[in-house]
Structures are given as C-alpha cells and as structure tokens.
Amino acid sequence: MQKRIYGIETEYGIIFTPEGRKTLPVEKAIRFLFEKLITTEHFLNVFLENGARFYQDTGCHPEYATPECASPGQLIIFDKAGERILEDLQLYAEEKIREERIGGRLSIFKNNTDFVGNSYGCHENYLVDRDVDFYYLAEQLIPFLVTRQIYTGAGKVFQTQDGIHYCVSQRAQHIYQKISGTTTNDRSIINTRDEPHADREKYRRLHVIVGDSNMSEYTNFIKVGTCSVVLQMIEDNYINKDFTLRNPVKAIKDITYDATCKRRLRLDNGREYSPIEIQREYCEMAQKYIEQYPVTDDHKKAVYMWQHVLDCLDTDPDKLDRQIDWVIKRRLIQSWVDKHKTTWTDPRVLMLDLQYHDIRRERSLYYLLERKGQVERLFNDEEIDAAKSNPPQDTRARMRGEFIKLARENSIQYDLDWSNIRLGNLLNVRVICNNPFETDTEKVAELVRTIQKTNLRKTSLSKLVIQS
Amino acid sequence: MKTNHQSERGNESRARIDLGADPMPLYMASSAEQQKQKQKGGGGDEGSGKGDGTQKLAEKGEELKEEMDNLLDEIDAVLEENAEEFVKNYVQRGGQ
C-alpha cells in the first residue's frame, strides 16, 4: 500500500504532588485536565479541532490519539502537537486546582513505565489492505520489531537486586507474547485488535504495541518511517530472507539489557545474528527496494537515517547522542553523575530518567537539551503549533476538524467517533465516512448550513443518515 | 520538514565533540580528566610553535566544556528537589 493512514496513541503518566494536607487522587486530577475542553461530547472523551482524540484510558492515563495522518513525518508533528496540547491543558488544570485551594503540582510524563513495574503504552497504527494475510505479515514483521529497539528505545534506568542497569527500551520488559488480543495483561508485540475505523472489507488495522514513547523527533520519525518501509516490502512480497527468531519474547528482553546491541540471538534456523546484523539485513533490502519501487520522500529519508544509525551503533553508539532517545538520555545522566562525582545508584538518577520525559517544557530535561541545541530536530515549533488546531489536510481528519470548528461556532450539538459524525439536538443526523482518505470538507459545511436552515437545534427531524 | 539531512549535521556535531575530548568524549570524562585535557590543550598553544589549528581545537574544547557545565547547572536548577520521594511516589496503574 503506497498511500497509507498512520496513527499513534500515547498514554501519559500522571501524578499530583501535594503541598500541604489536602491531596488530589489521580482520578480527580485527571478530570481537571478536561476542564478546558468545552464540548457537547462525553466528558473525558473528546475529539479536538486538529482531528485528534483525547480521552481517559485504562488505569487513569490521559491518552492522546493523533488524527489520521498521511505520512510518517506528518504523524510525528501531530504526536508532538499532542504533547503541546496536553501542556496547555495542564497549565489550565493547575490554575483550577489552585482555585480549589489545593496546594501542589501536577506532573505529566511521556514515558512507558513507573519504577515498580507498571507500564502504559505507545501504540502505532498502520492501515493495511484486507487482502494481505495478517499472520504472514505479523510473522515477517516480528523480527524487525523485536530488534528495532536499538534505535527506537527511549532508555530506562532499571533497578534490580544486582544493581542498576541501563536498558535500551522502556517497554521491552513488559512484553509477554508475540501476538495477542489483549493490551493490559498478556501484552504482545503485535495486537490483533482489528479496528480499521474504515471500510472493513477493504482495510484492516495493524496495531503495534511494542514501541516506546519517544521524546526525540528523530527517534520517533525513524521508528515509524522504517516500520512503514518494511511493511510495504512485506506487502510487495519483497522480503526474501527469513529471520524468524526462536524465541522473540526472550530476545526482546535480551536486547534491552544489552546496550552494545551486539549480543547474538538465535534464529529458528539455528543461525545466530546480533540485533544490528538483523537490522542491517532489513536495511539493505530496503535500500534496494526504494531504488526499484515507488516510495515517498519520507521513506527514502527514513532509509537513509536507518543506515546512518546502524553504522553508528556498530562503531560507537554514543555518536547518536543527539538523535536517539536512549543514547541522549544516557549521555545526560552520565555527565550529571560525573559532575556530582556520584554513581548511577544515586537515587536522583531515577529522577533524571523520569524528568527527561516531563512534557512541561520548563521542567523537562529533554526540552532543556532541545533549547540548548543539543538534540537533532526534524521539525520546527511553528509546524507543531499549527498542528494543535489544524487537522491534516490530506485525510478524513480534515472533515472532522472542519466540522468541529463549524459546529462550535454555530452551537450545534454533536457527537463523534472516528468514522461517524452525529449531530442535531437528538444526534439524529448521522454522517458516515468510511473512507479515511476522504477530504471533502464541503460536505460537512453543507450539512451545517442545512442544519441551520431547518433549525434542527430546536426541532427534531426524523432520523437522517448521510453516506459520505 | 528541513531539507538538509540531519544525520550529516549529526556527524559534524559529533566530530566537534570529539575534537575537544580525545580519547574520551567530554561528557564521559570525569571532571578531573576534563581539567587535565583543558590544561593539556591550553598549554600546547603557548610558545610550542604549534599552528592556529591546535589553538582553535583547544578553544573549541573549552567552549564545549563550558556549554556542558552550563547545561549541568541548569539541570540541577530544574531537577525535582525531593527526587527520592517523588520517584517513590510515582506509581502508575497499568495502562494498555
């Protein structure tokens, strides 16, 4: 599939630190985050003007799902825009909390674990053709997904009885299955939940739940860009090598503990390869593939970056201390440890790890590095700010975003999900948009005009369904 | 999106860091070693007949060290004061 829809769902960690006697349980703290969002939709579950969805998810995590995006680059901009939106909501929430005379501070982290073994996810979604054999696709993709953490990992200081380890990935320790249908217990590499939010006869969803949440734009882009290229190669039957791992779930854990990225893994055919070697094989195929097949500029760019990071990982991973999250964070902590003439067992080291992921830019260590020009950027603040309120122009999100703006301006009641718009005072007019590539905003504008004419806000019409 | 490829710039910046910190990247070296490197670099320029190049490298190294020192000071300024307690209290419910 050359034209594809991409999406990322990010669950954020949240905590309220009280100052004084009054405290605020997380269930309540999270409600304050939604205060600023005025809508006729359900509380704690809303669509935003940029087409994204913001809601409270399992385990009381605020979750932001990007709108449907048409390229990896666009997706990363909208994922970043989600951080900024959440930061705005956080500032507003803090004000409201102060008004309630509760002293303290709200903190929100874009990471995937606490330090006692709980995990919350970052899920990538790729729209794929219904014709493709899902299990074939999954099996082909798994060795790639297991080993890619060497350049997609966000890094984690991990305390065990033997001491402190620095792991490559946040998420790897929390994966127990290759493929499964659940996301909270037996977490897997690929989840089988098949919600394409589109014509089910044409499309299905590939739901990758093994990834880390990334702060670095570079890391985030290469994560989605390379996966997208590999996916396209699988769809085109281009992959002619078999890297099936004997034990992928064990491999994913072995890799995260090995910051050299060179420890060998056993394949099903008895051969042994290091994660770098497996990634190199995929990367070399991709280099040939992009010469022979039509691909997008983002794909070419991702393959170029891919080769670069593998070269660096092979010679000296520290060369990636401006690009790849786990290396950036390790460098930061090491410098700090040296300055204070302390060791990695210093309890403040765990705080450094956590605070790297703070989304509040004035406190976040990642954003401190960004302000100092110490990390590589792919996008600029203007692009990211624009994505806070403007949907992608080349997907269905454009219609949704446009509709939300019009409905708010005209005080029209509405309710949304990914492929439906319901409106009118009984929500009895329904627009179905099953094609995620559809961008015709004139349809929604016309609908809003009709509603105004018939004054549906006050009177109820009989049920009306419009197929878009 | 920027058109020039960032990994090329990544290489340059890397080279920059290594210049000042051979054989160990500056941020990996202990402060005592950094001091030594600094002295070595500074001493080499004066009257040793070495060209401008060496001096420039030393200056670069100096600049980078200062940059890193400033950065670390800023980290200390924003780092959560009750770090140990904060981390202990940071318990999340499992998500998806």
Side-chain angles (χ1 to χ4, degrees), chain A residues 170-196:
Chain A
Q170 292 249 322
R171 185 75 166 167
Q173 288 145 354
H174 303 277
I175 300 297
Y176 304 101
Q177 295 275 334
K178 256 179 14 179
I179 302 172
S180 83
T182 64
T183 47
T184 45
N185 296 321
D186 263 353
R187 285 194 198 93
S188 55
I189 297 164
I190 292 173
N191 182 272
T192 53
R193 195 188 285 177
D194 181 15
E195 294 167 359

Side-chain angles (χ1 to χ4, degrees), chain A residues 132-299:
Chain A
V132 178
D133 176 349
F134 180 72
Y135 286 90
Y136 168 78
L137 184 119
E139 289 294 343
Q140 293 267 312
L141 205 53
I142 282 170
F144 166 78
L145 292 174
V146 166
T147 49
R148 72 169 182 175
Q149 57 177 302
I150 59 175
Y151 56 84
T152 65
K156 178 182 166 63
V157 181
F158 188 51
Q159 234 172 354
T160 66
Q161 285 174 332
D162 329 323
I164 292 272
H165 293 277
Y166 188 73
C167 294
V168 167
S169 157
Q170 292 249 322
R171 185 75 166 167
Q173 288 145 354
H174 303 277
I175 300 297
Y176 304 101
Q177 295 275 334
K178 256 179 14 179
I179 302 172
S180 83
T182 64
T183 47
T184 45
N185 296 321
D186 263 353
R187 285 194 198 93
S188 55
I189 297 164
I190 292 173
N191 182 272
T192 53
R193 195 188 285 177
D194 181 15
E195 294 167 359
H197 302 306
D199 187 344
R200 295 181 67 86
E201 290 189 4
K202 271 193 185 158
Y203 306 111
R204 72 165 293 145
R205 171 165 83 165
L206 174 69
H207 197 41
V208 175
I209 66 168
V210 71
D212 284 11
S213 297
N214 293 117
M215 299 302 289
S216 153
E217 294 169 9
Y218 190 105
T219 312
N220 214 1
F221 177 80
I222 198 171
K223 173 176 77 184
V224 178
T226 55
C227 186
S228 170
V229 175
V230 172
L231 197 53
Q232 202 177 314
M233 290 199 291
I234 296 170
E235 287 168 337
D236 284 336
N237 273 317
Y238 192 82
I239 294 187
N240 53 11
K241 290 183 180 167
D242 179 16
F243 298 106
T244 308
L245 294 158
R246 183 154 293 176
N247 188 342
V249 173
K250 182 176 176 296
I252 208 164
K253 288 168 187 171
D254 289 345
I255 298 168
T256 195
Y257 285 109
D258 171 33
T260 71
C261 313
K262 287 183 176 160
R263 195 183 297 156
R264 288 176 175 248
L265 313 161
R266 178 147 303 183
L267 302 192
D268 228 9
N269 61 20
R271 291 190 174 178
E272 291 191 340
Y273 284 91
S274 75
I276 297 180
E277 286 165 341
I278 292 176
Q279 283 292 324
R280 265 206 198 283
E281 295 274 353
Y282 277 104
C283 183
E284 279 167 19
M285 279 188 275
Q287 282 165 326
K288 290 188 193 124
Y289 177 82
I290 61 170
E291 297 294 322
Q292 296 164 16
Y293 285 75
V295 290
T296 63
D297 286 348
D298 270 8
H299 286 142

Side-chain angles (χ1 to χ4, degrees), chain A residues 5-24:
Chain A
I5 296 287
Y6 302 86
I8 289 184
E9 298 151 60
T10 308
E11 290 174 2
Y12 289 86
I14 180 168
I15 187 169
F16 183 78
T17 316
E19 283 159 18
R21 282 193 304 124
K22 259 189 176 174
T23 186
L24 195 62

Side-chain angles (χ1 to χ4, degrees), chain A residues 387-441:
Chain A
K388 281 163 65 176
S389 46
N390 300 298
Q393 292 299 298
D394 35 14
T395 71
R396 176 177 60 192
R398 180 179 172 186
M399 291 168 71
R400 186 183 310 115
E402 195 64 32
F403 171 76
I404 293 171
K405 275 175 207 167
L406 286 171
R408 284 185 185 167
E409 280 165 19
N410 294 286
S411 312
I412 289 173
Q413 279 216 42
Y414 64 91
D415 189 28
L416 299 167
D417 61 43
W418 291 103
S419 39
N420 288 290
I421 296 173
R422 286 186 179 81
L423 71 165
N425 64 339
L426 295 174
L427 301 177
N428 48 356
V429 177
R430 181 171 166 222
V431 183
I432 303 169
C433 183
N434 250 343
N435 176 5
F437 297 101
E438 161 102 61
T439 58
D440 188 359
T441 50

